[in-house]
Amino acid sequence: MPGVGFTPGPDCPLAMNKIKKYDPTRGEKIRRHQLAGLEIIFHKLTLELESYLFDELSVPFKLDLQIERHQKFSDFLGEFKYPLPIFIFGLDPLEGDSLLVLENSFANLLLARAENSQRTRIVVSDKFKITNDNYQKVKDSADHLISRLAQGWSRYTPVKPLLKKLASHPIKAKIMPPENQAVSVKINL
């Protein structure tokens, strides 16, 4: 999440340290120790997602967490196939916007769970198209994932998740200048 700065709550194990605000517009390098809080938050989210996916699909998943730093925002956006669901959201009072990018096959898996709840095997496509029929289901899933992320942040500071927009193409998801550095957090199935 670019531009995130916060002070840990009193019960946080990192409360003795002040976490400095990172400003990607000044060309600052992201150091490994600056990501300690994000690692804790997203590790908790990964565990929550494993439970959520098991509840929804009755299939155990082992998720892998990967945090990448020193990446230009344009390079991050260039990694994705088109179209795909990209949700722009904020965590008030944290500054800036963030992206939740669902790979097409994962979005289709979430959509298929309702229609195929009786089947033991679900086949999903790697192509995706937002329609009037599936928009609300995809939005509800994104709201749920973002709410789980906000719960992870509560360890440090209370935040309120706000889903701002759904974009289906990376060109519509530019939340920062392309040359700015971004931190990307990937959770792989």
Side-chain angles (χ1 to χ4, degrees), residues 75-82 84 86 99 101-103 170 186:
D75 294 341
F76 168 74
L77 284 182
E79 292 177 6
F80 301 109
K81 298 176 186 174
Y82 319 110
L84 73 166
I86 303 171
L99 300 179
V101 181
L102 300 179
E103 290 288 342
K186 297 177 184 179

Side-chain angles (χ1 to χ4, degrees), residues 25-182:
T25 62
R26 292 192 328 206
E28 295 178 30
K29 295 244 181 203
I30 303 165
R31 307 277 184 238
R32 176 94 176 127
H33 69 277
Q34 291 173 308
L35 301 177
L38 282 179
E39 287 178 1
I40 293 168
I41 290 165
F42 281 98
H43 178 71
K44 180 179 179 186
L45 177 64
T46 300
L47 296 175
E48 297 255 346
L49 286 177
E50 288 175 350
S51 175
Y52 168 69
L53 291 172
F54 183 78
D55 291 346
E56 292 294 316
L57 303 168
S58 300
V59 176
F61 287 92
K62 175 65 178 147
L63 302 179
D64 175 47
L65 178 65
Q66 180 182 3
I67 298 179
E68 293 184 20
R69 53 191 161 84
H70 302 296
Q71 181 179 31
K72 285 186 179 181
F73 185 63
S74 59
D75 294 341
F76 168 74
L77 284 182
E79 292 177 6
F80 301 109
K81 298 176 186 174
Y82 319 110
L84 73 166
I86 303 171
F87 293 91
I88 300 171
F89 71 96
L91 295 172
D92 188 44
L94 301 178
E95 296 176 18
D97 290 331
S98 299
L99 300 179
L100 170 65
V101 181
L102 300 179
E103 290 288 342
N104 290 338
S105 56
F106 183 69
N108 286 324
L109 181 64
L110 292 173
L111 289 173
R113 76 179 192 274
E115 292 129 22
N116 297 308
S117 61
Q118 305 303 322
R119 300 170 88 189
T120 56
R121 182 178 166 104
I122 297 175
V123 178
V124 294
S125 170
D126 64 352
K127 294 179 176 39
F128 188 82
K129 182 177 181 180
I130 294 291
T131 66
N132 289 337
D133 294 334
N134 69 12
Y135 172 78
Q136 191 60 46
K137 291 177 191 173
V138 174
K139 181 185 175 300
D140 290 346
S141 292
D143 273 331
H144 186 80
L145 295 172
I146 293 167
S147 293
R148 296 272 176 123
L149 176 61
Q151 289 172 3
W153 275 101
S154 67
R155 180 176 184 157
Y156 298 101
T157 188
V159 295
K160 179 182 173 190
L162 175 62
L163 186 57
K164 297 180 177 182
K165 176 179 154 181
L166 167 63
S168 61
H169 195 285
I171 202 156
K172 300 277 190 175
K174 295 180 179 175
I175 59 171
M176 65 186 334
E179 68 278 356
N180 282 8
Q181 283 193 7

